[in-house]
Amino acid sequence: MLRTLPLNKRGIPASRIALGCMGLGGGWDHEPITAENIKQGHEAVEAALSIGINFFDHADIYTRGKAEKVFGEIFRDRPGLREEIIIQSKCGIKLIEPGDTTNTFDISREHILKSVDGTLSRLGTDYIDILLLHRPDPLMDPEEVAEALHQLKVSGKVRHFGVSNMSAAQIRLLQHYCDEPFIVNQLHMSLAKISWLDAMVSVNREPWKDITFPEGTIEYCRMENIQLQAWGPLAQGSFSGRSLEGQPENVVNTAALVKELARQKNTTPEAIVLSWLMTHPAAIQPVIGTVNPQRIAACAGADQLELTRKEWYDLYVSSRGEKLP
């Protein structure tokens, strides 16, 4: 049974699948966006809308802001679209610039406010539906974060807030100081990225492989009605047509199993891979990263599939490459 999204429970009419927009805008350089970039954006948006996706995920750093600029052009070309869809963006990462030796994380009050203003300008809109803090910042002052989010809320620039790549403890710390609830946590989860499951099944066992997933994070989000979003849910095509040359046995075997299940259910490998995530009772919302219209279309129907418990476990154990304890 497909569970209701926590976002829907909060009255936000988000689609079961979201489209990640990191692939829009061309290269990660300082070149201006082109007519071809805008055309690609239109085609990706149209493909997403055609399969019922109304949720679009951005970040201020995606192709150095050009992904948001492309979307701004789409809004100008399609009057009325902004009110029909949900826009989520992120802030908190500073990319390497000339003279820098590394990228840094920054969720200071100043950077959050500046980042949101930049996003709004590039998108050509006056509000973001959801703003995520992109990465945990070791120098974070939660009281300062709270001030920034309060200012964004009362100004109407941001309607809701969330985080990305954070543990339960980090969310609790922020929530202690922030009046506004954090309603999203976006994590790297897929049939290839299964440490969030391995952390569960390995309780009271000798450490298995190199599990670093923070214990209790999935459970905390479920209890607090925080929407779990999965970035990288298609595993970069590892199980849906990407070359398997040089891949380990567990990946080859899992790709074959996905293909067979797709044949049995008369659907696509992409739909099977997404359905595996959405079968989990945490009501995970996959954020697909492709902007290829054909691959977007291949995800259609994933939210209508139901995997049996055996099918779900067969895929998990196959990807794990080792029997369960």
Side-chain angles (χ1 to χ4, degrees), residues 259-272:
K259 184 177 181 180
E260 175 57 21
L261 284 170
R263 185 194 66 77
Q264 292 176 12
K265 297 177 182 293
N266 193 31
T267 188
T268 63
E270 288 88 349
I272 294 294

Side-chain angles (χ1 to χ4, degrees), residues 80-290:
L81 178 64
R82 176 65 188 95
E83 299 306 315
E84 298 173 6
I85 66 176
I86 297 167
I87 291 289
Q88 173 175 279
S89 197
K90 313 179 198 71
C91 70
I93 299 177
K94 286 185 174 180
L95 296 178
I96 298 175
E97 297 291 352
D100 293 339
T101 56
T102 182
N103 63 303
T104 59
F105 301 151
D106 188 347
I107 53 175
S108 64
R109 177 180 179 278
E110 179 183 8
H111 183 73
I112 292 171
L113 296 177
K114 181 180 179 181
S115 173
V116 169
D117 284 343
T119 287
L120 293 176
S121 176
R122 289 186 291 272
L123 289 172
T125 184
D126 56 5
Y127 73 96
I128 303 168
D129 294 286
I130 305 172
L131 174 71
L132 305 187
L133 304 178
H134 207 158
R135 289 277 181 182
D137 173 10
L139 297 181
M140 173 190 74
D141 179 341
E143 293 180 271
E144 193 176 305
V145 173
E147 291 174 7
L149 301 195
H150 177 73
Q151 185 172 334
L152 291 170
K153 179 72 174 184
V154 298
S155 67
K157 293 180 179 179
V158 179
R159 295 183 173 179
H160 305 281
F161 301 94
V163 299
S164 179
N165 305 299
M166 290 199 190
S167 69
Q170 290 165 330
I171 300 172
R172 282 197 297 265
L173 175 63
L174 284 166
Q175 194 65 82
H176 179 78
Y177 293 94
C178 296
D179 293 333
E180 286 298 313
F182 290 91
I183 67 170
V184 170
N185 189 12
Q186 189 175 120
L187 301 166
H188 194 183
M189 298 188 286
S190 73
L191 187 52
K193 185 70 174 179
I194 55 175
S195 59
W196 57 286
L197 292 172
D198 291 334
M200 296 179 189
V201 302
S202 298
V203 171
N204 201 34
R205 300 283 301 180
E206 290 298 319
W208 189 77
K209 288 190 175 178
D210 57 348
I211 297 171
T212 58
F213 193 85
E215 183 179 348
T217 296
I218 301 299
E219 293 83 354
Y220 172 78
C221 291
R222 293 178 68 180
M223 289 189 296
E224 296 299 322
N225 199 37
I226 295 172
Q227 179 66 60
L228 286 163
Q229 293 178 343
W231 64 267
L234 291 172
Q236 297 183 318
S238 295
F239 309 120
S240 53
R242 187 176 180 178
S243 172
L244 296 173
E245 184 178 355
Q247 291 297 311
E249 184 180 6
N250 64 309
V251 172
V252 174
N253 292 342
T254 305
L257 181 54
V258 167
K259 184 177 181 180
E260 175 57 21
L261 284 170
R263 185 194 66 77
Q264 292 176 12
K265 297 177 182 293
N266 193 31
T267 188
T268 63
E270 288 88 349
I272 294 294
V273 171
L274 294 179
S275 178
W276 180 82
L277 271 175
M278 292 189 287
T279 295
H280 192 277
I284 297 165
Q285 182 187 36
V287 182
I288 60 175
T290 181

Side-chain angles (χ1 to χ4, degrees), residues 43-64:
E43 291 172 349
V45 169
E46 188 56 42
L49 294 173
S50 73
I51 65 169
I53 292 175
N54 72 347
F55 193 110
F56 296 85
D57 176 73
H58 285 270
D60 58 352
I61 64 166
Y62 287 170
T63 55
R64 294 187 176 273

